[in-house]
Amino acid sequence: MRFHHLDLNLLVALDVLLEEQNITRTAERLHMTQSATSGVLGRLRTFFEDELLVQVGRRMQPTPYALELAGPVREVLLTIRSSITARRVFDPAASKRHFRLVTSDYLISVLFAQVIQRIHRQAPGVTFEMLSPGDNSSELLIRGEVDLMIVPERYRIDDHPAQLLFEEDHVCVVWRDNPEVGDSLSLEQYLAMGHISVGFGRNRHLSIEDWIMNQYGVKRRLEVITNDFNTLAQLLVGTPRLATMHRRLAQLYARYLPLRILPTPMKIPLMGEYMLWHRSMDGDPMLKWLRGRIRDCIQDIDLPVT
């Protein structure tokens, strides 16, 4: 298909070239030879009258004009995918849709284990890929490479839809036989104890560290930093340490491990967990259906036991 003498298939190649900035990797992703990929780059340079990618040492670096093109090109491709090529027939039971989601192991444990069970009964052909949150998670959503992100409110992305899924509070968790802790914790005791926390990404972002610093101007004594929420409870057993955890996850693990759950000595604000998706996918019927099933599931989980 051509538009103003531009083969629109070349936009797909341009998008990958600007992301990879490497002929070999681009060729692999496009299932083309390196020579054919170099030829595509040559045609793009001719059309746009710009080098687009220039060799700097061993790397290819995008020109200023190429950087200007990157966003609009990605938007065009996302619009084509969501508005033109996506099937409008809505039949979850027959769907073979593959969803890519960014979500923490905490949410997989307390929510998505049940979501996936339910969806398998209603739409057995639907498959999932769960990606851990990282430094590039927002970029993945902006580029349309993931269908949905479920993250705390502070990670919402401007200009893309978001919906509050639920609110979560935090509790303190200790080993049931910890001799240093009674039925409650003072702030002084909380700060004096050794803590186990979770760090994410290259910068080792800690779960509630920013809030404690901003509120009290103090640091916890971190003795163990793990890389996921599910290991927090396991690392507490047999130690005098303390972890500050999501209440739902703490209650889940307290069923299986010798743990005690205590209120935090300071009031930590409720944490809102939001679903985020690319604005071009706002009308996608299968994605809308998935969001509805996730909402239904968290509401059922939170129903009081009678």
Coordinates of all heavy atoms in Angstrom, one line a residue, residues 52-117:
L52 N 18.7 9.5 8.6 CA 17.9 8.7 9.6 C 18.7 8.0 10.7 O 18.5 8.2 11.9 CB 16.9 7.7 8.9 CG 15.9 8.3 8.0 CD1 15.1 7.2 7.3 CD2 15.0 9.3 8.7
L53 N 19.7 7.2 10.2 CA 20.6 6.5 11.1 C 22.0 6.6 10.6 O 22.2 6.4 9.4 CB 20.2 5.0 11.3 CG 18.9 4.7 12.1 CD1 18.5 3.2 11.8 CD2 19.1 4.9 13.6
V54 N 22.9 7.1 11.4 CA 24.3 7.3 11.0 C 25.2 6.4 11.9 O 24.9 6.2 13.1 CB 24.7 8.8 11.1 CG1 23.9 9.6 10.1 CG2 24.5 9.3 12.5
Q55 N 26.3 6.0 11.3 CA 27.2 5.1 12.0 C 28.1 6.0 12.9 O 28.8 6.9 12.5 CB 28.1 4.3 11.1 CG 28.8 3.1 11.7 CD 27.9 2.0 12.0 OE1 26.9 1.7 11.2 NE2 28.1 1.3 13.1
V56 N 28.1 5.7 14.2 CA 29.0 6.4 15.2 C 29.7 5.3 15.9 O 29.2 4.7 16.8 CB 28.2 7.3 16.2 CG1 29.1 8.0 17.2 CG2 27.3 8.3 15.4
G57 N 31.0 5.1 15.6 CA 31.8 4.0 16.1 C 31.1 2.7 15.7 O 30.9 2.5 14.5
R58 N 30.8 1.9 16.7 CA 30.2 0.6 16.3 C 28.6 0.7 16.4 O 28.0 -0.4 16.2 CB 30.7 -0.5 17.3 CG 32.2 -0.8 17.2 CD 32.6 -1.9 18.1 NE 34.0 -2.2 18.0 CZ 34.6 -3.2 18.7 NH1 33.9 -3.9 19.5 NH2 35.9 -3.4 18.5
R59 N 28.1 1.8 16.7 CA 26.7 1.9 16.9 C 26.1 2.8 15.8 O 26.8 3.6 15.2 CB 26.3 2.6 18.3 CG 26.8 1.7 19.4 CD 26.4 2.4 20.8 NE 25.0 2.6 20.9 CZ 24.4 3.8 20.9 NH1 25.2 4.9 20.6 NH2 23.1 3.9 21.0
M60 N 24.8 2.6 15.6 CA 24.0 3.5 14.7 C 23.2 4.5 15.5 O 22.6 4.0 16.5 CB 23.1 2.7 13.7 CG 23.9 1.8 12.8 SD 22.8 1.2 11.5 CE 22.9 2.6 10.4
Q61 N 23.3 5.7 15.2 CA 22.7 6.7 16.0 C 21.6 7.5 15.2 O 21.9 7.9 14.0 CB 23.7 7.7 16.5 CG 23.1 8.8 17.5 CD 24.3 9.6 18.1 OE1 25.2 9.1 18.6 NE2 24.1 10.9 18.0
P62 N 20.4 7.6 15.7 CA 19.3 8.3 14.9 C 19.6 9.8 14.8 O 20.2 10.4 15.7 CB 18.1 8.1 15.8 CG 18.5 7.8 17.1 CD 19.9 7.1 17.0
T63 N 19.3 10.4 13.7 CA 19.5 11.8 13.5 C 18.3 12.5 14.2 O 17.3 11.9 14.6 CB 19.4 12.1 12.0 OG1 18.0 11.8 11.5 CG2 20.4 11.3 11.2
P64 N 18.5 13.9 14.4 CA 17.4 14.6 15.1 C 16.1 14.4 14.4 O 15.0 14.3 15.0 CB 17.9 16.1 15.0 CG 19.4 15.9 15.0 CD 19.7 14.7 14.2
Y65 N 16.1 14.4 13.0 CA 14.8 14.2 12.3 C 14.2 12.8 12.5 O 13.0 12.7 12.7 CB 15.0 14.4 10.8 CG 13.8 14.4 10.0 CD1 12.7 15.1 10.3 CD2 13.7 13.5 8.8 CE1 11.5 15.0 9.5 CE2 12.6 13.5 8.1 CZ 11.5 14.2 8.4 OH 10.3 14.1 7.7
A66 N 15.1 11.8 12.6 CA 14.6 10.5 12.9 C 13.9 10.4 14.3 O 12.9 9.8 14.5 CB 15.7 9.5 12.9
L67 N 14.5 11.1 15.2 CA 13.9 11.1 16.6 C 12.5 11.8 16.5 O 11.6 11.4 17.3 CB 14.8 11.9 17.6 CG 16.2 11.2 17.9 CD1 17.0 12.0 18.7 CD2 15.9 9.8 18.5
E68 N 12.4 12.8 15.7 CA 11.1 13.5 15.5 C 10.1 12.5 14.9 O 8.9 12.5 15.2 CB 11.2 14.7 14.6 CG 11.9 15.9 15.3 CD 12.0 17.1 14.3 OE1 11.2 17.1 13.4 OE2 12.9 17.9 14.5
L69 N 10.5 11.7 14.0 CA 9.6 10.7 13.3 C 9.2 9.6 14.2 O 8.1 9.0 13.9 CB 10.3 10.2 12.0 CG 10.5 11.1 10.8 CD1 11.4 10.4 9.8 CD2 9.2 11.4 10.2
A70 N 10.0 9.2 15.2 CA 9.7 8.0 15.9 C 8.3 7.9 16.5 O 7.6 6.9 16.4 CB 10.8 7.8 17.0
G71 N 7.9 9.0 17.2 CA 6.6 9.0 17.8 C 5.5 8.9 16.8 O 4.6 8.1 17.0
P72 N 5.4 9.8 15.8 CA 4.4 9.7 14.8 C 4.3 8.4 14.1 O 3.2 7.9 13.8 CB 4.7 10.9 13.9 CG 5.5 11.8 14.7 CD 6.3 11.0 15.6
V73 N 5.4 7.8 13.8 CA 5.4 6.5 13.1 C 4.8 5.4 14.0 O 4.0 4.7 13.5 CB 6.9 6.1 12.7 CG1 6.9 4.6 12.3 CG2 7.3 7.0 11.5
R74 N 5.2 5.4 15.2 CA 4.6 4.4 16.1 C 3.1 4.6 16.3 O 2.3 3.7 16.3 CB 5.3 4.5 17.5 CG 4.7 3.8 18.7 CD 4.4 2.3 18.5 NE 5.6 1.6 18.0 CZ 5.7 0.3 18.2 NH1 4.8 -0.4 18.9 NH2 6.8 -0.4 17.8
E75 N 2.6 5.9 16.4 CA 1.2 6.2 16.5 C 0.4 5.7 15.3 O -0.7 5.2 15.4 CB 1.0 7.7 16.7 CG 1.4 8.2 18.1 CD 0.5 7.7 19.2 OE1 -0.7 7.5 19.0 OE2 1.1 7.5 20.3
V76 N 1.0 5.9 14.1 CA 0.3 5.5 12.9 C 0.2 4.0 12.9 O -0.9 3.4 12.6 CB 1.2 5.9 11.6 CG1 0.7 5.2 10.4 CG2 1.0 7.4 11.4
L77 N 1.2 3.2 13.3 CA 1.2 1.8 13.3 C 0.2 1.3 14.3 O -0.5 0.3 14.1 CB 2.6 1.2 13.5 CG 3.6 1.5 12.4 CD1 5.0 0.9 12.8 CD2 3.2 0.9 11.1
L78 N 0.1 1.9 15.5 CA -0.8 1.5 16.5 C -2.3 1.7 16.1 O -3.2 0.9 16.3 CB -0.5 2.2 17.8 CG 0.7 1.8 18.6 CD1 1.0 2.7 19.8 CD2 0.6 0.4 19.1
T79 N -2.5 2.9 15.4 CA -3.8 3.2 14.9 C -4.2 2.2 13.8 O -5.4 1.7 13.9 CB -3.8 4.6 14.3 OG1 -3.5 5.5 15.3 CG2 -5.2 4.9 13.7
I80 N -3.3 1.8 13.0 CA -3.7 0.8 11.9 C -4.0 -0.6 12.6 O -5.0 -1.2 12.3 CB -2.5 0.6 11.0 CG1 -2.3 1.8 10.1 CG2 -2.7 -0.7 10.1 CD1 -1.1 1.8 9.2
R81 N -3.2 -0.9 13.6 CA -3.4 -2.2 14.3 C -4.8 -2.2 15.0 O -5.5 -3.2 15.0 CB -2.3 -2.5 15.3 CG -2.4 -3.9 16.0 CD -1.3 -4.1 17.0 NE -1.6 -3.3 18.3 CZ -0.9 -3.4 19.4 NH1 0.2 -4.1 19.4 NH2 -1.3 -2.7 20.4
S82 N -5.1 -1.1 15.8 CA -6.3 -1.1 16.6 C -7.5 -0.8 15.8 O -8.6 -1.3 16.2 CB -6.1 -0.1 17.8 OG -6.0 1.2 17.3
S83 N -7.4 0.0 14.8 CA -8.6 0.5 14.1 C -8.9 -0.2 12.8 O -10.1 -0.2 12.3 CB -8.5 2.0 13.8 OG -8.3 2.7 15.1
I84 N -7.9 -0.7 12.1 CA -8.1 -1.3 10.8 C -7.9 -2.8 10.7 O -8.8 -3.5 10.2 CB -7.1 -0.6 9.8 CG1 -7.4 1.0 9.8 CG2 -7.3 -1.2 8.4 CD1 -6.4 1.7 9.0
T85 N -6.8 -3.3 11.2 CA -6.5 -4.7 11.1 C -7.1 -5.5 12.2 O -7.2 -6.8 12.1 CB -5.0 -4.9 11.0 OG1 -4.4 -4.5 12.3 CG2 -4.4 -4.2 9.9
A86 N -7.5 -4.9 13.4 CA -8.0 -5.7 14.5 C -9.4 -6.2 14.1 O -10.2 -5.5 13.6 CB -8.1 -4.9 15.7
R87 N -9.7 -7.5 14.5 CA -11.0 -8.0 14.2 C -12.0 -7.4 15.1 O -11.8 -7.3 16.3 CB -10.9 -9.6 14.3 CG -10.1 -10.3 13.3 CD -10.1 -11.8 13.6 NE -11.4 -12.3 13.5 CZ -11.7 -13.6 13.8 NH1 -10.7 -14.4 14.2 NH2 -12.9 -14.0 13.7
R88 N -13.1 -7.0 14.6 CA -14.2 -6.4 15.4 C -15.2 -7.5 15.9 O -16.0 -7.1 16.7 CB -14.9 -5.4 14.6 CG -14.1 -4.2 14.2 CD -13.8 -3.3 15.4 NE -12.4 -3.4 15.8 CZ -11.9 -2.8 16.8 NH1 -12.7 -2.1 17.6 NH2 -10.7 -2.9 17.1
V89 N -15.1 -8.7 15.5 CA -16.0 -9.7 15.9 C -15.6 -10.1 17.4 O -14.5 -10.4 17.7 CB -15.9 -11.0 15.1 CG1 -16.8 -12.1 15.6 CG2 -16.3 -10.7 13.6
F90 N -16.6 -9.9 18.3 CA -16.3 -10.1 19.7 C -16.8 -11.5 20.1 O -18.0 -11.7 20.3 CB -17.0 -9.0 20.5 CG -16.8 -9.1 22.0 CD1 -15.5 -9.1 22.5 CD2 -17.9 -9.2 22.8 CE1 -15.3 -9.3 23.9 CE2 -17.7 -9.3 24.2 CZ -16.4 -9.3 24.7
D91 N -15.9 -12.4 20.3 CA -16.3 -13.8 20.7 C -15.2 -14.3 21.6 O -14.3 -15.0 21.1 CB -16.5 -14.7 19.5 CG -17.0 -16.1 19.9 OD1 -17.3 -16.3 21.1 OD2 -17.2 -16.9 19.0
P92 N -15.2 -14.0 22.9 CA -14.1 -14.4 23.8 C -13.9 -16.0 23.8 O -12.8 -16.4 23.9 CB -14.6 -14.0 25.2 CG -15.5 -12.8 24.9 CD -16.2 -13.1 23.6
A93 N -15.0 -16.7 23.7 CA -14.9 -18.2 23.8 C -14.1 -18.7 22.6 O -13.5 -19.8 22.7 CB -16.3 -18.8 23.8
A94 N -14.1 -18.0 21.5 CA -13.3 -18.5 20.3 C -12.0 -17.7 20.1 O -11.3 -18.1 19.2 CB -14.2 -18.3 19.0
S95 N -11.8 -16.8 20.9 CA -10.6 -15.9 20.7 C -9.3 -16.6 21.0 O -9.2 -17.5 21.8 CB -10.7 -14.7 21.7 OG -9.5 -13.9 21.5
K96 N -8.3 -16.3 20.2 CA -6.9 -16.8 20.3 C -6.0 -15.7 20.8 O -4.8 -15.7 20.6 CB -6.4 -17.4 19.1 CG -7.2 -18.6 18.5 CD -7.3 -19.8 19.5 CE -8.1 -20.9 18.9 NZ -8.1 -22.1 19.8
R97 N -6.5 -14.7 21.4 CA -5.8 -13.4 21.7 C -4.7 -13.8 22.7 O -4.8 -14.5 23.7 CB -6.7 -12.4 22.3 CG -6.1 -11.1 22.7 CD -5.8 -10.2 21.4 NE -5.4 -8.9 21.8 CZ -6.3 -7.9 21.9 NH1 -7.6 -8.1 21.6 NH2 -5.9 -6.7 22.3
H98 N -3.5 -13.2 22.5 CA -2.4 -13.3 23.4 C -2.2 -11.9 24.1 O -1.9 -10.9 23.4 CB -1.1 -13.7 22.7 CG 0.1 -13.8 23.6 ND1 0.2 -14.8 24.6 CD2 1.2 -13.0 23.7 CE1 1.4 -14.7 25.2 NE2 2.0 -13.6 24.7
F99 N -2.4 -11.8 25.4 CA -2.2 -10.6 26.1 C -0.9 -10.5 26.8 O -0.4 -11.5 27.5 CB -3.3 -10.4 27.2 CG -4.7 -10.2 26.7 CD1 -5.7 -11.2 26.7 CD2 -5.0 -8.9 26.1 CE1 -7.0 -10.9 26.2 CE2 -6.3 -8.7 25.6 CZ -7.3 -9.7 25.7
R100 N -0.2 -9.3 26.7 CA 1.0 -9.1 27.4 C 0.7 -8.1 28.5 O 0.2 -7.0 28.2 CB 2.1 -8.6 26.5 CG 2.4 -9.5 25.3 CD 3.6 -9.0 24.5 NE 4.9 -9.3 25.1 CZ 5.9 -8.4 25.2 NH1 5.8 -7.2 24.7 NH2 7.0 -8.8 25.8
L101 N 1.0 -8.4 29.7 CA 0.6 -7.6 30.9 C 1.9 -7.3 31.7 O 2.7 -8.1 31.9 CB -0.4 -8.3 31.8 CG -1.8 -8.2 31.4 CD1 -2.1 -8.9 30.1 CD2 -2.7 -8.9 32.6
V102 N 2.0 -6.0 32.2 CA 3.0 -5.7 33.2 C 2.3 -5.7 34.5 O 1.4 -4.9 34.7 CB 3.6 -4.3 32.9 CG1 4.6 -3.9 34.0 CG2 4.4 -4.3 31.6
T103 N 2.8 -6.5 35.4 CA 2.2 -6.6 36.8 C 3.2 -7.2 37.7 O 4.0 -8.0 37.3 CB 0.9 -7.3 36.7 OG1 0.3 -7.2 38.0 CG2 1.1 -8.8 36.4
S104 N 3.1 -6.9 39.0 CA 4.1 -7.4 40.0 C 3.7 -8.8 40.4 O 2.6 -9.3 40.2 CB 4.1 -6.5 41.2 OG 2.8 -6.6 41.9
D105 N 4.6 -9.5 41.0 CA 4.4 -10.8 41.5 C 3.3 -10.8 42.6 O 2.6 -11.8 42.9 CB 5.7 -11.5 42.0 CG 6.3 -10.8 43.2 OD1 6.6 -9.6 43.0 OD2 6.4 -11.4 44.2
Y106 N 3.3 -9.7 43.4 CA 2.2 -9.5 44.4 C 0.8 -9.6 43.8 O 0.0 -10.3 44.3 CB 2.4 -8.1 45.1 CG 1.2 -7.4 45.4 CD1 0.3 -7.8 46.4 CD2 0.9 -6.1 44.8 CE1 -0.8 -7.1 46.8 CE2 -0.2 -5.4 45.2 CZ -1.0 -5.9 46.1 OH -2.2 -5.2 46.5
L107 N 0.6 -8.9 42.6 CA -0.7 -9.0 42.0 C -1.0 -10.3 41.4 O -2.1 -10.8 41.3 CB -0.8 -7.8 41.0 CG -1.0 -6.4 41.6 CD1 -0.8 -5.4 40.5 CD2 -2.4 -6.3 42.2
I108 N 0.1 -11.0 40.9 CA -0.1 -12.3 40.3 C -0.6 -13.2 41.4 O -1.6 -14.0 41.2 CB 1.2 -12.9 39.7 CG1 1.5 -12.1 38.4 CG2 1.0 -14.3 39.4 CD1 2.9 -12.4 37.8
S109 N -0.1 -13.1 42.6 CA -0.5 -14.0 43.7 C -1.9 -13.7 44.2 O -2.7 -14.6 44.4 CB 0.5 -13.9 44.9 OG 1.8 -14.3 44.5
V110 N -2.2 -12.4 44.5 CA -3.5 -12.1 45.1 C -4.6 -12.0 44.2 O -5.8 -12.0 44.6 CB -3.4 -10.9 46.0 CG1 -2.3 -11.0 47.1 CG2 -3.1 -9.6 45.2
L111 N -4.3 -11.8 42.9 CA -5.4 -11.5 41.9 C -5.3 -12.4 40.7 O -6.3 -13.1 40.3 CB -5.4 -10.0 41.5 CG -6.4 -9.6 40.5 CD1 -7.8 -9.8 40.9 CD2 -6.2 -8.1 40.2
F112 N -4.2 -12.3 39.9 CA -4.2 -12.9 38.6 C -4.2 -14.4 38.6 O -4.6 -15.0 37.6 CB -3.0 -12.3 37.8 CG -3.3 -11.0 37.2 CD1 -3.0 -9.8 37.8 CD2 -4.0 -11.0 36.0 CE1 -3.3 -8.6 37.2 CE2 -4.4 -9.7 35.4 CZ -4.0 -8.6 36.0
A113 N -3.8 -15.1 39.6 CA -3.9 -16.5 39.7 C -5.4 -16.9 39.5 O -5.7 -17.9 38.8 CB -3.3 -17.1 41.0
Q114 N -6.3 -16.1 40.1 CA -7.7 -16.4 40.0 C -8.3 -15.9 38.7 O -9.1 -16.5 38.1 CB -8.4 -15.8 41.2 CG -8.0 -16.4 42.5 CD -8.9 -16.0 43.7 OE1 -10.1 -16.0 43.5 NE2 -8.3 -15.6 44.8
V115 N -7.8 -14.7 38.2 CA -8.3 -14.1 37.0 C -8.0 -15.1 35.8 O -8.9 -15.4 35.0 CB -7.5 -12.8 36.7 CG1 -7.8 -12.4 35.2 CG2 -8.0 -11.7 37.6
I116 N -6.8 -15.7 35.8 CA -6.5 -16.6 34.7 C -7.3 -17.9 34.8 O -7.7 -18.4 33.7 CB -4.9 -16.9 34.7 CG1 -4.2 -15.6 34.3 CG2 -4.6 -18.0 33.8 CD1 -2.7 -15.7 34.3
Q117 N -7.5 -18.4 36.0 CA -8.4 -19.6 36.1 C -9.8 -19.3 35.5 O -10.3 -20.1 34.8 CB -8.5 -19.9 37.6 CG -7.3 -20.6 38.2 CD -7.5 -20.8 39.7 OE1 -8.6 -21.1 40.1 NE2 -6.4 -20.9 40.4

